[in-house]
Amino acid sequence: MRDQAYKDVEMAKEKLMKGEIPSRDASQGRKGLGKRLIDGGCILLNIASTVTLVFLNKWIFKDPQLKHAQVSFAMWHFTCTSIVLWIASRRPFNLFVPVRLPFLQMIPLCSFFAGFLILGNLSLAYNSIGFYQLAKILTTPCVALLQYLYLGKSVTLLTIGALASVCIGVGVTNTGATGTTAQGASIATAAFVVTSFYQVWIGKKMKDFSVSSPQLLLNQAPISVLLLAFLAPFFDTVPDVRDIPSDTLVALFLSGLAAASLNLSQFLIIGRMSALTFNVASNVKTIIILSYGWISEGRALTMRDSLGIVLALGGATVYSQLSQK
C-alpha cells in the first residue's frame, strides 16, 4: 500500500511539472486575472455608458418636441434604473440586499434627485457639450463649500489650492467658449448647485439610514417617478410620436438603457475598487466627452484649453484624494 501511495505521489508530481494539474499559484493567478478582467469590464461599461448617454441625450434634445418634455424624459430614465437595480438585487445576481426606507422621509431627497437630473438635462439641451461638461466640474468646489458651511468640515490650504485650480481651469477653458447663452449659463449654474446639495445630502442620508448607494437608489428611483408623474402634465408638452424620427425614438430607448448601465456600473466600481480608480475613470470620461464635443462643434484645441483642462482635472483629482484621508 505504501508503494502504491508513493507511486501516486510521484505521478501527481510528474503531472504537476507537465502542467496537467494546476498549481495553487497558477489557480490564484487565474483568479487574479479574472478579477482584473471583471474590474476592467466595469470601468469600460461606466465610461462607455456615460459617454454614450451624453451624446444620445444631446441628439434627442435636438428634437423640439422632446426638448420640451424634460420631466417625462427623466421619468423614463428613473424607470429603467429602477428595473435594472431590482433585477440586480434578485437571484441569480444578488448584488445587494434591497431595503425599504420610510416613504415620507424619502420625498425631499427624491425631489432634489429629480431636480438635479432635469436641470442637468436642460443644461445639456441649452449649452454646447463642452460647456455642459466643464460646468459639471464646478460641482466639486461647490460640494466642498457646502460641507464647510453646513457640516463644519475643515478645509486645509492644500484643499483650497486644489479647488482654486478647478475653478481657474474651468474659467480659462470657457473664456472663448461658444454654444451657450445667458439662459444656458444660468441653467448650468443651477444644475451644479442643486447637484452639489444633492451629493452632500445623499452622503448624510446614507449614514443616517445605514444603507449603501444602490439600496438608497432603489428607493429613490421609483418614488421619483411617482413625484414626476404629477408634474409632467403641467410642465411637459405632450409630443406627437408620429412626427418624431424613428432614429430619435431608438436613441430615446437606448438612453434609458445607458442611464441604467451607468448607475449599475458606478455601484460596481465603488464596491470593487478604490476611490482613486473611480476618480480616474471620471476624468477619462470628461476628457473623452470634451474631445468629442469640441470636434463635433468644430472647435480647435488651443494651448489655453489644454492648460485649463489640466488645471481642472488635476485639481479635482487632488481634492478627491484629500477628501478620502
Side-chain angles (χ1 to χ4, degrees):
M1 184 175 293
R2 288 183 179 179
D3 292 340
Q4 183 61 39
Y6 178 77
K7 288 179 181 180
D8 291 341
V9 171
E10 290 299 319
M11 187 178 298
K13 288 181 179 179
E14 184 177 351
K15 288 183 178 181
L16 181 61
M17 294 296 293
K18 291 180 179 180
E20 297 178 8
I21 300 177
S23 65
R24 180 179 299 177
D25 291 340
S27 178
Q28 291 177 348
R30 280 196 293 272
K31 288 181 180 180
L33 177 61
K35 181 182 183 301
R36 288 194 294 271
L37 289 175
I38 294 174
D39 291 348
C42 293
I43 294 173
L44 288 176
L45 177 62
N46 183 261
I47 293 173
S49 57
T50 302
V51 175
T52 301
L53 183 61
V54 169
F55 287 95
L56 281 175
N57 287 356
K58 189 65 177 177
W59 182 7
I60 291 167
F61 294 147
K62 289 180 180 179
D63 186 277
Q65 294 191 84
L66 295 178
K67 188 176 182 179
H68 295 93
Q70 294 287 343
V71 176
S72 300
F73 187 72
M75 288 173 61
W76 165 239
H77 282 187
F78 288 150
T79 300
C80 292
T81 298
S82 301
I83 294 172
V84 169
L85 285 176
W86 183 83
I87 293 174
S89 67
R90 303 294 171 174
R91 293 180 178 177
F93 305 104
N94 294 324
L95 294 180
F96 64 95
V97 178
V99 296
R100 181 173 295 180
L101 300 176
F103 179 81
L104 293 178
Q105 293 185 37
M106 292 298 299
I107 291 179
L109 187 63
C110 290
S111 301
F112 269 89
F113 183 43
F116 103 80
L117 180 63
I118 292 174
L119 285 171
N121 287 337
L122 283 171
S123 177
L124 183 58
Y126 286 92
N127 293 304
S128 65
I129 292 176
F131 187 91
Y132 156 81
Q133 191 63 30
L134 284 167
K136 282 183 65 177
I137 300 178
L138 290 175
T139 301
T140 299
C142 193
V143 166
L145 178 62
L146 291 174
Q147 288 179 333
Y148 173 74
L149 293 176
Y150 295 104
L151 301 180
K153 190 173 182 179
S154 60
V155 181
T156 64
L157 289 177
L158 190 56
T159 300
I160 294 174
L163 296 176
S165 176
V166 173
C167 296
I168 293 172
V170 172
V172 167
T173 309
N174 277 326
T175 299
T178 58
T180 189
T181 61
Q183 182 186 21
S186 299
I187 293 173
T189 301
F192 74 72
V193 170
V194 171
T195 301
S196 301
F197 271 103
Y198 171 72
Q199 289 186 2
V200 172
W201 200 5
I202 197 174
K204 185 177 183 301
K205 285 297 182 182
M206 286 173 63
K207 292 181 179 178
D208 292 343
F209 291 131
S210 299
V211 294
S212 63
S213 175
Q215 288 174 326
L216 185 59
L217 186 57
L218 185 55
N219 282 269
Q220 284 180 252
I223 296 176
S224 297
V225 174
L226 182 63
L227 292 177
L228 293 178
F230 291 100
L231 299 177
F234 301 100
F235 292 95
D236 280 2
T237 301
V238 180
D240 187 349
V241 180
R242 294 172 296 180
D243 295 335
I244 300 176
S246 57
D247 55 353
T248 302
L249 292 176
V250 172
L252 181 62
F253 173 76
L254 294 177
S255 71
L257 298 181
S261 299
L262 171 60
N263 287 313
L264 182 61
S265 61
Q266 283 181 337
F267 156 60
L268 291 174
I269 289 176
I270 293 173
R272 295 177 61 89
M273 288 161 267
S274 66
L276 175 60
T277 303
F278 182 75
N279 189 70
V280 170
S282 298
N283 288 346
V284 170
K285 290 185 292 186
T286 299
I287 292 171
I288 293 174
I289 293 171
L290 283 175
S291 300
Y292 275 98
W294 282 342
I295 290 172
S296 64
E297 296 160 12
R299 177 179 174 180
L301 185 66
T302 64
M303 286 298 296
R304 175 184 288 231
D305 294 331
S306 301
L307 175 62
I309 291 173
V310 170
L311 286 173
L313 295 182
T317 301
V318 171
Y319 172 76
S320 177
Q321 293 309 298
L322 291 174
S323 63
Q324 297 299 319
K325 293 181 178 179

